[in-house]
Amino acid sequence: MKRPFRIKTVCHCTAAAALLVCIGCMPADFPEAVAWKIRNDRATDAKSQPIKGMLFLRVDDYLLDRLRAASTESDSVAGEEIPRLIARSHDLAAETARAEIGHLSDASLREIWKDSFQNEPVPKDLRYELNNRHARRMDRDYAAFAQSLSTATVDVMRSEARRICDQAEPSIKSRRGGGLLVESVRKSHSNASPSKSAVVQGRVYEPGPLVGDDAVANKEDADTRKLLEQLAPEILQEARGDNRYETQCDMIGAVHLGGRRDHIEVDIQTDHPSVYAFSGRTILNSREHVQLSYCYWFPEHPPTRPGDPEAGPIDGATIRITLDADSRPAIIEAVQNCGCHYRCFAATYLDDAARKEFGPPPKPELSSLTRPDSGAIEVLSGDLFKLPDNASIRPVIISPAAYHVPVGIQFAETSTQSTTLTRHRYDLLPYEMLENMPTDFGRASMFGADGLVHNAGRGEGWLLAGTGMLSAGQPRQRGTQLICWDKHAFDDPHLLENILRLPRGF
């Protein structure tokens, strides 16, 4: 079958355009000019990967994995799945481009207009007009591509799916630490966070409904939105009983941005507790499972010892709940937002099934879900939780002072009724808000083009720079986090089935 579209229309990256990029000039083609300016202004959103020559598509770990898998499926499955996944890739590209254009300076917008529409007067609302024109162009190019796919053979669809994967630009996660030092640390340094302890002083943060801009808050389908609200955790945050550091360091807050476009300052306002949520999917035993993620932030990781290399401004953690076929929490992962101190909790029924299938655990203190060759990733027997009969009871996250690394999970209606704890309500907000926030100078992301929280570096980043690690300890954006000393990508859709021995029935 002839495929003139792919050759003549999609590949906007001509040799001339490539030459212009190389010598530092803005390309003549409008979408290429926008992409060029976004890169030059470091306004790129790091959570997804553009496709070379197909700016109307972007992918992430999940989409890359599913496109590769679909290209090997039967004709009937591939013919249905590949167009659906490419449509989702276009949605991701459109959503990301809107945010990135929103982060450009007024001067950059004028430069794009001058080069791309030199014979037209500058519109009153330049950002709005450029965004609309860019969205229409992306939709037009995608529609032409989708139309060509609709008349193509399944083999052509498979070829296009593989081409999209092959042409994906490298992820920021491709920069990983390596060498003898990192290997030595991986083998000798446990990823387990501080031990569980009774919280006698602190705050209980309780969720409200999912709120925010309607276009963002309603992005989830009704069933997923209901689950995000129903299982939003209570967070039992310990507070110190001494004055070694400011009490605000152990208080969850809302993210606000200040400063200038070329020097963005991140501020965590603890008088307005907030948790930022989103959903995703993981692949377990060739079946997809819903994952619910909840991210929250503190003003600082205070020093816990003299010269503490982990201390620094802006700290936070992420809780990710993997649901079983009955929408019950089966596995709960906890990790610092930098990717450090990864910890895995699991339901007792899952451990029982693993024990029946695989036998006892490699060590008495471990769950049978632990692989004998897991290295630092272990599910401790003390980290198993029993699901309540009442499925509507939300998990309670136990978080220690200063470290802010979740160390325990409870499911109990009376677990946080202690009179020594104060109770606070938090806003449940869409995570997308962190990536496109209003400021005094326009709109901006909490994260830089490298996926790192602005101006939140740590001493350990300098200490480990020689290993190739990207600013170790500095909090990161979703889609860019690496765990276990850069060994695994947190967003790998096969992470859990690769690091745990899961029963076949799950």
Side-chain angles (χ1 to χ4, degrees):
M1 175 174 288
K2 293 174 64 179
R3 287 184 291 159
F5 168 74
R6 183 170 73 86
I7 298 171
K8 295 182 180 178
T9 308
V10 174
C11 297
H12 299 299
C13 254
T14 62
L19 178 61
L20 288 171
V21 172
C22 289
I23 63 175
C25 298
M26 187 181 295
D29 182 77
F30 174 48
E32 288 285 350
V34 172
W36 182 87
K37 200 62 187 173
I38 287 170
R39 287 193 299 269
N40 276 23
D41 277 17
R42 294 188 56 76
T44 308
D45 189 318
K47 74 173 180 292
S48 62
Q49 298 161 250
I51 308 301
K52 296 173 184 175
M54 306 174 79
L55 294 178
F56 52 86
L57 300 179
R58 290 204 189 197
V59 292
D60 53 21
D61 286 355
Y62 172 83
L63 289 170
L64 275 173
D65 179 83
R66 293 297 82 198
L67 280 167
R68 290 192 182 104
S71 69
T72 65
E73 293 283 1
S74 65
D75 285 3
S76 60
V77 173
E80 180 179 344
E81 279 294 289
I82 291 173
R84 183 184 69 83
L85 291 166
I86 291 175
R88 289 188 59 176
S89 300
H90 173 62
D91 290 342
L92 178 60
E95 168 198 324
T96 306
R98 280 195 299 272
E100 290 175 337
I101 293 172
H103 302 162
L104 290 173
S105 66
D106 291 341
S108 292
L109 297 176
R110 288 192 295 270
E111 188 177 347
I112 293 171
W113 185 270
K114 179 182 177 182
D115 276 51
S116 299
F117 308 105
Q118 52 189 319
N119 296 324
E120 299 184 45
V122 178
K124 184 176 181 181
D125 192 337
L126 178 54
R127 193 179 307 272
Y128 175 83
E129 182 62 24
L130 276 176
N131 232 324
N132 272 356
R133 292 194 182 199
H134 188 264
R136 288 197 299 269
R137 175 63 181 273
M138 290 183 73
D139 287 345
R140 187 193 78 189
D141 289 349
Y142 165 69
F145 180 69
Q147 177 60 33
S148 84
L149 273 187
S150 69
T151 59
T153 65
V154 176
D155 281 343
V156 169
M157 289 186 185
R158 290 192 180 101
S159 176
E160 290 300 301
R162 289 191 291 267
R163 185 168 73 95
I164 289 168
C165 296
D166 292 342
Q167 293 299 310
E169 294 186 6
S171 166
I172 196 69
K173 295 192 294 294
S174 61
R175 178 175 172 180
R176 301 193 183 195
L180 294 176
L181 174 59
V182 172
E183 282 301 319
S184 174
V185 171
R186 283 175 182 162
K187 292 177 181 178
S188 63
H189 187 89
S190 171
N191 279 278
S193 45
S195 300
K196 206 182 303 184
S197 60
V199 177
V200 297
Q201 179 175 327
R203 301 169 184 81
V204 178
Y205 292 97
E206 304 170 314
L210 183 62
V211 297
D213 178 79
D214 287 343
V216 175
N218 294 328
K219 182 181 176 184
E220 308 286 353
D221 63 69
D223 290 341
T224 305
R225 180 186 175 96
K226 182 179 178 181
L227 288 169
L228 278 169
E229 293 181 335
Q230 177 180 311
L231 292 173
E234 287 190 3
I235 302 169
L236 177 51
Q237 177 58 50
E238 183 185 29
R240 283 229 190 259
D242 53 46
N243 59 358
R244 275 184 276 176
Y245 56 80
E246 294 184 4
T247 58
Q248 285 84 356
C249 291
D250 290 327
M251 296 171 67
I252 294 172
V255 176
H256 287 259
L257 301 183
R260 310 180 307 273
R261 194 176 296 277
D262 59 350
H263 185 84
I264 296 172
E265 298 173 356
V266 181
D267 180 36
I268 308 300
Q269 299 187 353
T270 56
D271 59 346
H272 193 175
S274 299
V275 173
Y276 301 86
F278 62 99
S279 69
R281 289 183 178 269
T282 189
I283 315 299
L284 305 175
N285 296 328
S286 301
R287 292 185 292 271
E288 292 198 0
H289 288 254
V290 173
Q291 291 186 314
L292 310 174
S293 295
Y294 303 89
C295 173
Y296 48 97
W297 300 92
F298 302 86
E300 182 182 352
H301 182 126
T304 58
R305 59 189 185 277
D308 187 352
E310 295 186 66
I314 316 300
D315 198 22
T318 294
I319 296 295
R320 185 166 68 187
I321 304 174
T322 299
L323 305 182
D324 64 15
D326 297 319
S327 296
R328 300 178 304 169
I331 300 171
I332 300 180
E333 300 160 273
V335 68
Q336 282 186 306
N337 289 339
C338 62
C340 299
H341 301 295
Y342 175 82
R343 195 158 182 169
C344 194
F345 306 84
T348 53
Y349 84 85
L350 199 59
D351 175 63
D352 292 340
R355 184 180 295 266
K356 289 179 182 178
E357 186 169 332
F358 305 113
K363 300 177 185 176
E365 67 271 19
L366 300 179
S367 157
S368 289
L369 295 163
T370 302
R371 287 184 181 272
D373 59 350
S374 67
I377 298 182
E378 300 173 331
V379 181
L380 306 176
S381 58
D383 286 345
L384 298 174
F385 55 82
K386 182 175 174 56
L387 285 173
D389 294 332
N390 182 358
S392 65
I393 296 179
R394 62 183 78 252
V396 179
I397 309 301
I398 302 172
S399 175
Y403 293 96
H404 308 145
V405 186
V407 295
I409 305 288
Q410 298 178 359
F411 282 86
E413 292 176 317
T414 59
S415 62
T416 60
Q417 298 303 315
S418 169
T419 56
T420 62
L421 304 172
T422 59
R423 306 186 77 84
H424 306 263
R425 185 183 179 92
Y426 69 73
D427 281 343
L428 186 61
L429 303 171
Y431 187 100
E432 288 87 348
M433 294 179 66
L434 301 177
E435 299 163 333
N436 193 18
M437 305 186 73
T439 70
D440 291 340
F441 52 80
R443 301 192 73 85
S445 172
M446 178 186 187
F447 312 97
D450 50 12
L452 300 173
V453 171
H454 297 289
N455 303 303
R458 305 290 199 258
E460 63 181 322
W462 293 98
L463 293 173
L464 295 171
T467 69
M469 280 190 178
L470 176 62
S471 194
Q474 188 165 350
R476 295 189 180 197
Q477 183 181 9
R478 61 172 174 175
T480 70
Q481 293 161 306
L482 296 170
I483 62 172
C484 304
W485 298 92
D486 284 9
K487 187 173 183 179
H488 301 286
F490 185 57
D491 293 279
D492 178 356
H494 297 279
L495 175 66
L496 291 176
E497 68 176 11
N498 288 337
I499 65 174
L500 304 177
R501 51 180 191 180
L502 297 170
R504 284 191 295 268
F506 181 60

